Amino acid sequence: MELDYYQTQAENSRLPTVDLEYLLMGFIGEVGEVYSLLAKNIRDETDFEPEKIKKELGDCLWFLATICNDFGLSLDDVAKANLEKLLSRKIRGTLQGSGDDR
């Protein structure tokens, strides 16, 4: 599936009352749910369940796609720019460290 197609479909499921503030808080909440599932696996010494994580990551993706819409960004362009940044860092030997401009 193409990311821009997903982004369009995600926007089609957005309620009219959903604003940027809700999207940002919801995104962080969904990331927290991913952490929570993993923490419970550690606590209970249970096996990782990919299907549960997939559902939560899907929710994260929905929020990310709709946040991109609010900023006028293409999810496909965001993904491409990120890969270009990471490849540049790999070539320059700066994958480790901190700061966006390394």
Side-chain angles (χ1 to χ4, degrees), residues 33-102:
E33 289 189 34
V34 171
Y35 269 93
S36 181
L37 284 173
L38 295 175
K40 288 174 186 173
N41 286 144
I42 293 168
R43 178 196 66 200
D44 300 338
E45 297 180 343
T46 56
D47 291 334
F48 171 75
E49 296 181 62
E51 286 302 311
K52 287 185 178 181
I53 297 295
K54 182 168 71 172
K55 288 178 182 178
E56 297 305 332
L57 290 174
D59 292 340
C60 291
L61 182 59
W62 183 89
F63 277 98
L64 182 60
T66 52
I67 290 167
C68 285
N69 280 335
D70 276 22
F71 284 108
L73 299 170
S74 155
L75 189 55
D76 197 58
D77 289 344
V78 169
K80 286 178 187 175
N82 182 254
L83 288 177
E84 289 168 3
K85 176 183 77 174
L86 294 173
L87 178 59
S88 172
R89 287 181 181 171
K90 183 177 180 181
I91 291 168
R92 294 179 288 113
T94 59
L95 278 172
Q96 291 181 311
S98 61
D100 284 337
D101 297 323
R102 61 179 191 270

Side-chain angles (χ1 to χ4, degrees), residues 22-35 60 63 67:
Y22 170 82
L23 293 173
L24 294 170
M25 288 189 293
F27 180 67
I28 296 303
E30 292 300 336
V31 170
E33 289 189 34
V34 171
Y35 269 93
C60 291
F63 277 98
I67 290 167

